[in-house]
Amino acid sequence: MKKSMGNLFRGVVCGAAVTGVAVALAVPAGPATAASLAVPASAKTPPGLSCDTGKHAVDDYTGYALCRNNGGTTQTFWVHLVCGWSPDVDGEHVTLNPGQSGQSTAHCAGLGTGIGEITVQP
């Protein structure tokens, strides 16, 4: 009885090892480059607004959108942060009359990987 349990145990361990190697080989591996870790450029700015986006100078988890309304009508916008492992977040909605400027900020949770992308939403 001991001998057959030992064979069963070795078979399970071998099967797990082969499965682990197969999974490891199925995952593409590539070197991480500075370009692949950089924050992608923000998406197209909504019409009528000119915006600058970025990360806070001393906090990589806080992002902002600073916008000016160059149009002839009232505009509302907010910043949207893609936060990696943490849920994405939106900043406060900011309403600007023609000619006004304003800023929307948001903060990714500290347990994630930080900001992956910053966009301005209309």
Side-chain angles (χ1 to χ4, degrees):
M1 186 71 162
K2 281 186 179 182
K3 193 171 191 177
S4 65
M5 287 300 285
N7 288 340
L8 177 63
F9 179 73
R10 275 193 298 276
V12 169
V13 170
C14 268
V18 169
T19 301
V21 169
V23 169
L25 293 175
V27 176
T33 63
S36 67
L37 300 176
V39 174
S42 64
K44 188 175 181 180
T45 302
L49 295 175
S50 60
C51 301
D52 291 319
T53 62
K55 292 181 186 178
H56 190 278
V58 294
D59 180 4
D60 284 339
Y61 290 86
T62 299
Y64 66 88
L66 176 61
C67 297
R68 177 175 174 79
N69 183 351
N70 295 323
T73 61
T74 301
Q75 297 269 358
T76 299
F77 76 95
W78 62 94
V79 69
H80 175 78
L81 305 180
V82 176
C83 295
W85 294 342
S86 297
D88 297 349
V89 293
D90 289 330
E92 65 278 2
H93 291 210
V94 177
T95 301
L96 302 175
N97 290 319
Q100 285 186 318
S101 296
Q103 179 173 309
S104 175
T105 59
H107 186 80
C108 291
L111 63 118
T113 55
I115 299 171
E117 183 178 18
I118 302 172
T119 59
V120 179
Q121 302 296 312

